[in-house]
Amino acid sequence: MIDSKISKNFENEISNLKKMYDKNGFVVVKNFLNKKFTQIIKKDLKLFLKNSKNQKGMNFINKKKKIINTAHNIKEWNYLKKIQNDKYITKVVSNILGCKLKNFGAEVFAKPAKQGLLSPIHQDNFYWNIKSNIGLTIWIALDNVNKKNGSIYYYKQSHKLGLLPHEPSYVPGSSQTVNKSYLKKLKNYKKIFTKLNVGDAILHSSLVVHGSNNNLSKNNRMGFTLRYIPKNSKFNIRNKIRYEKNLINQQKKLINAGI
């Protein structure tokens, strides 16, 4: 069992989380993981990322120095299944989504000091291609996070817009962004910058519009995600194939440009 705030006064906690999640498209949970455990897994995760055999699917800002911005496949990380399948975490998520769950991967967003890359404005399900548009990400802070070092910002209640058209971003590690013609719509939604301490988390919908700025500060902004979808999820195969082809074309252009 992971010692987290959500395990105490559980029924009230889960009810309040669901209300805020449904209303805004995201909810911040303080002390999601206790600080001591978070420090242990951060140290272990950094060792995992340094191991060359685990570095497939990672985006390096500096390949020679192996400075990582994002890692899109951490399924072999020792602690992942323990956290991903924790009974309190999965119960919260299953109650928020109202269904049985399926693990849908995990990622690291390292965003190192002074050179961490931005994440363009996007919706997760444009990447995921789930027909129901139902899915949830838990973003867990391994460093203190604020606006200066590139915290995630959300367009409050934007999940009610449904899935918006996207276009190529040509940003390494985050290939899609909301189509420019739809950005005007977002002006009607309040932009919220999150502030997290080590061990805090954000639970957000796969439809809520969000992004983050470059980290130009002197402080790292490392976090990792857990992703969940309904157990009976079906995928839009046509959109998935189109997205994957687009991703390959972007990668080729970035390599040709020396990025």
Side-chain angles (χ1 to χ4, degrees):
M1 184 186 77
I2 296 171
D3 180 16
S4 62
K5 187 179 179 181
I6 54 176
S7 66
K8 301 169 185 176
N9 302 316
F10 191 69
E11 295 303 324
N12 289 333
E13 220 29 85
I14 195 169
S15 176
N16 291 334
L17 290 176
K18 180 171 173 54
K19 284 178 184 177
M20 294 301 294
Y21 178 93
D22 289 343
K23 180 181 178 181
N24 297 323
F26 69 98
V27 60
V28 175
V29 183
K30 294 294 185 180
N31 306 312
F32 187 77
L33 302 180
N34 74 65
K35 197 166 185 176
K36 184 177 180 180
F37 180 68
T38 306
Q39 289 170 339
I40 291 170
I41 63 173
K42 178 183 177 181
K43 183 178 180 180
D44 192 77
L45 180 57
K46 289 174 82 172
L47 289 172
F48 171 84
L49 296 174
K50 281 183 179 180
N51 191 326
S52 59
K53 73 176 183 179
N54 301 321
Q55 291 179 352
K56 185 178 180 180
M58 293 188 192
N59 164 238
F60 293 95
I61 294 173
N62 186 316
K63 290 184 179 181
K64 289 183 179 179
K65 294 185 178 180
K66 298 290 185 182
I67 298 174
I68 298 164
N69 189 69
T70 56
H72 299 291
N73 183 5
I74 57 171
K75 65 181 181 180
E76 300 302 326
W77 179 38
N78 291 331
Y79 277 96
L80 181 60
K81 285 185 179 179
K82 178 180 179 180
I83 302 168
Q84 211 167 33
N85 297 319
D86 176 79
K87 66 179 181 179
Y88 288 110
I89 293 176
T90 53
K91 188 170 183 180
V92 168
V93 177
S94 64
N95 275 271
I96 287 176
L97 295 185
C99 60
K100 293 183 179 180
L101 301 178
K102 180 179 180 180
N103 290 333
F104 194 57
E107 297 176 295
V108 174
F109 296 91
K111 200 168 286 218
K114 297 183 180 180
Q115 52 193 328
L117 300 178
L118 62 78
S119 177
I121 297 168
H122 68 281
Q123 295 167 298
D124 288 347
N125 199 46
F126 193 84
Y127 293 85
W128 300 1
N129 296 293
I130 299 165
K131 283 186 175 181
S132 67
N133 287 319
I134 297 172
L136 183 150
T137 295
I138 303 177
W139 198 102
I140 301 171
L142 300 179
D143 294 311
N144 292 334
V145 178
N146 54 55
K147 190 174 180 179
K148 288 183 178 180
N149 67 353
S151 67
I152 303 176
Y153 56 80
Y154 293 92
Y155 288 90
K156 191 175 179 181
Q157 301 184 358
S158 59
H159 62 306
K160 297 175 183 179
L161 287 168
L163 190 63
L164 299 174
H166 286 53
E167 61 187 31
S169 68
Y170 295 100
V171 174
S174 186
S175 64
Q176 304 295 318
T177 186
V178 171
N179 189 288
K180 290 183 179 66
S181 63
Y182 284 80
L183 293 180
K184 291 180 181 179
K185 286 189 175 183
L186 296 176
K187 292 181 180 179
N188 298 321
Y189 296 85
K190 190 173 182 181
K191 187 176 182 180
I192 305 292
F193 285 86
T194 52
K195 186 176 181 180
L196 307 174
N197 293 322
V198 172
D200 293 348
I202 313 164
L203 281 61
H204 74 239
S205 162
S206 61
L207 282 180
V208 71
V209 181
H210 62 288
S212 63
N213 294 328
N214 300 81
N215 181 10
L216 302 179
S217 77
K218 63 181 181 180
N219 299 313
N220 293 325
R221 195 230 67 172
M222 190 177 194
F224 74 99
T225 64
L226 310 173
R227 304 182 308 196
Y228 299 91
I229 59 176
K231 192 173 183 178
N232 61 354
S233 291
K234 295 181 179 179
F235 294 87
N236 188 319
I237 302 302
R238 182 181 296 177
N239 287 355
K240 190 172 187 292
I241 292 171
R242 186 188 302 128
Y243 161 68
E244 288 172 351
K245 285 182 178 178
N246 178 281
L247 180 61
I248 291 169
N249 289 334
Q250 278 196 67
Q251 288 173 338
K252 286 179 180 178
K253 288 181 180 180
L254 288 170
I255 290 169
N256 291 337
I259 298 172

